[in-house]
């Protein structure tokens, strides 16, 4: 089997795994086919980049398993004209997928190293519609608000008030909520003229949403 054949087989298996776990939106699947997860996983775990499992990345963080990335992206219902805020850049993998679906992606992380490495990956991929910031994501990005869509990749006890305030009328936010590592739910929040509507989607496990900038770099 040639390298090209192996790559094609691996990609086919990857997409089949996504579909079998409920990722059925054609635009999301197309975006995930275009973004090589292997570029966002380094070191000992690089060879496991195409398995449907979370993997460690620097700064004590993780890259989510692809099926969860796909389900969260699908739940966000991103349209081509949307401006999206991602809280928790991590490896940059999720933002790279969003970049193929939205007009503009803003992503924030409290770890300078992660933002720096994610920017390098975006440059390598030639992605030009992502802006990455080192910032306390729990406060969102007031200067760029409001947002059509907000995706949070760390768990809070409740949806943070500043993020709810930065969501447009008609907008959608997807985030994990829960009071412990063991009990978290992925929820979707829709903002209407009269308030917010909440849907519980599925159980998940994410690192906690922590306030303040990290001091590890």
């Amino acid at each position: 089997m040639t390298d090209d054949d192996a790559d094609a087989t691996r990609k086919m298996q990857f997409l089949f795994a996504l579909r079998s776990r409920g990722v059925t939106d054609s635009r999301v699947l197309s975006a995930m086919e275009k973004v090589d997860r292997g570029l966002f996983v380094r070191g000992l775990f690089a060879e496991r980049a195409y398995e449907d499992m979370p993997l460690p990345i620097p700064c004590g963080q993780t890259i989510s398993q692809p099926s969860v990335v796909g389900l969260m992206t699908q739940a966000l219902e991103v349209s081509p004209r949307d401006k999206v805020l991602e809280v928790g850049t991590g490896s940059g993998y999720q933002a790279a997928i969003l970049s193929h679906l939205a007009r503009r992606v803003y992503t924030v992380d409290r770890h300078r190293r992660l933002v720096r490495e994610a920017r390098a990956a975006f440059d390598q991929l030639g992605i030009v519609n992502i802006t990455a910031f080192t910032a306390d994501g729990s406060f969102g990005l007031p200067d760029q608000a409001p947002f059509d869509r907000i995706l949070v990749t760390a768990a809070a006890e409740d949806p943070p008030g500043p993020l709810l305030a930065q969501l447009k009328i008609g907008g959608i936010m997807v985030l994990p909520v829960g009071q412990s590592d063991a009990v978290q739910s992925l929820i979707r929040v829709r903002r209407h003229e009269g308030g917010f509507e909440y849907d519980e989607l599925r159980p998940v496990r994410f690192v906690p949403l922590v306030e303040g900038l990290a001091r590890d770099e």
Side-chain angles (χ1 to χ4, degrees):
M1 183 181 289
T2 67
D3 286 346
D4 285 348
D5 288 340
D7 284 346
T9 300
R10 186 176 62 193
K11 189 171 286 188
M12 188 169 62
Q13 291 171 338
F14 180 72
L15 292 172
F16 177 78
L18 291 174
R19 287 192 188 95
S20 69
R21 288 166 175 82
V23 184
T24 55
D25 185 288
S26 59
R27 290 184 67 236
V28 173
L29 287 167
S30 176
M32 294 189 74
E33 185 177 6
K34 290 171 185 170
V35 178
D36 184 354
R37 190 173 185 241
L39 293 176
F40 298 89
V41 182
R42 298 178 178 82
L44 294 173
F45 296 95
E47 63 187 37
R48 310 194 74 174
Y50 305 100
E51 297 178 28
D52 191 38
M53 61 187 300
L55 294 169
I57 60 172
C59 306
Q61 303 301 296
T62 58
I63 179 172
S64 298
Q65 65 195 84
S67 60
V68 171
V69 171
L71 289 167
M72 290 180 76
T73 307
Q74 184 170 274
L76 204 60
E77 300 176 16
V78 182
S79 71
R81 294 192 59 78
D82 284 346
K83 181 169 72 169
V84 180
L85 171 64
E86 180 197 30
V87 176
T89 308
S91 67
Y93 178 62
Q94 174 74 77
I97 290 165
L98 290 169
S99 76
H100 289 281
L101 300 167
R103 176 175 58 87
R104 189 84 210 161
V105 178
Y106 294 89
T107 182
V108 299
D109 203 288
R110 61 192 295 269
H111 296 276
R112 289 179 180 82
R113 176 181 175 183
L114 295 181
V115 172
R116 189 167 60 243
E117 292 182 359
R119 283 175 179 154
F122 302 150
D123 288 345
Q124 184 179 350
L125 290 167
I127 298 172
V128 297
N129 64 335
I130 300 177
T131 305
F133 297 91
T134 302
D136 183 344
S138 59
F139 293 102
L141 284 175
D143 291 349
Q144 303 297 334
F147 296 96
D148 301 288
R149 301 288 186 269
I150 298 177
L151 184 68
V152 186
T153 60
E157 287 192 21
D158 297 293
L163 298 184
L164 291 171
Q166 291 171 36
L167 189 63
K168 274 186 181 177
I169 303 294
I172 295 173
M173 176 162 61
V174 173
L175 76 162
V177 296
Q179 298 184 348
S180 72
D181 289 347
V183 183
Q184 297 175 2
S185 292
L186 187 67
I187 67 168
R188 176 168 51 202
V189 183
R190 295 180 189 269
R191 184 170 191 180
H192 303 296
E193 290 282 359
F196 298 92
E197 172 192 338
Y198 298 84
D199 294 314
E200 194 169 315
L201 302 179
R202 53 168 285 155
V204 288
R205 289 190 72 177
F206 277 84
V207 297
L209 182 65
V210 179
E211 290 190 4
L213 296 182
R215 296 184 179 183
D216 52 359
E217 297 97 341

